[in-house]
């Protein structure tokens, strides 16, 4: 078999595998469409997150950032 007849090699990065898994999971579980705009959803966690970031910086507020993300997900947003 010559070089020109060799089968093509397809390289797949681990990140592209993760993206494919996320897409498959998102497609298989139909989430309800968000009823609000993202800016108006979860005002309590948004306020706590924003206050923490202003006072302490983003690195110190991962707890509040993640809480806000969880709230947004529960409202139907894909974050």
């Amino acid at each position: 078999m010559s070089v020109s007849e060799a089968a093509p090699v397809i390289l797949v990065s681990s990140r592209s595998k993760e993206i494919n898994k996320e897409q498959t999971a998102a497609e298989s579980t139909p989430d309800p469409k968000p009823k609000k705009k993202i800016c108006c959803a979860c005002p309590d966690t948004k306020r706590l997150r924003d206050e923490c970031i202003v006072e302490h910086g983003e690195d110190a507020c991962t707890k509040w950032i993640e809480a806000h993300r969880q709230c947004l997900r529960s409202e139907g947003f894909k974050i």
Side-chain angles (χ1 to χ4, degrees), residues 10-12 16 21 28 32 39 42 44 48 50 62 64 66:
I10 299 173
L11 300 176
V12 179
S16 64
K21 287 180 186 177
S28 65
C39 62
C42 304
D44 296 333
L48 290 170
D50 292 349
T62 55
W64 298 115
E66 188 55 36

Side-chain angles (χ1 to χ4, degrees), residues 7-55:
V9 176
I10 299 173
L11 300 176
V12 179
S13 71
S14 61
R15 179 64 188 141
S16 64
K17 288 179 184 178
E18 290 175 29
I19 291 170
N20 287 338
K21 287 180 186 177
E22 291 170 5
Q23 288 173 342
T24 303
E27 292 170 359
S28 65
T29 55
D31 291 331
K33 188 173 181 179
K35 298 173 185 165
K36 304 173 186 175
K37 292 181 181 180
I38 196 165
C39 62
C40 301
C42 304
D44 296 333
T45 56
K46 182 179 179 179
R47 181 180 45 79
L48 290 170
R49 177 202 65 182
D50 292 349
E51 287 176 4
C52 182
I53 291 172
V54 168
E55 292 177 17

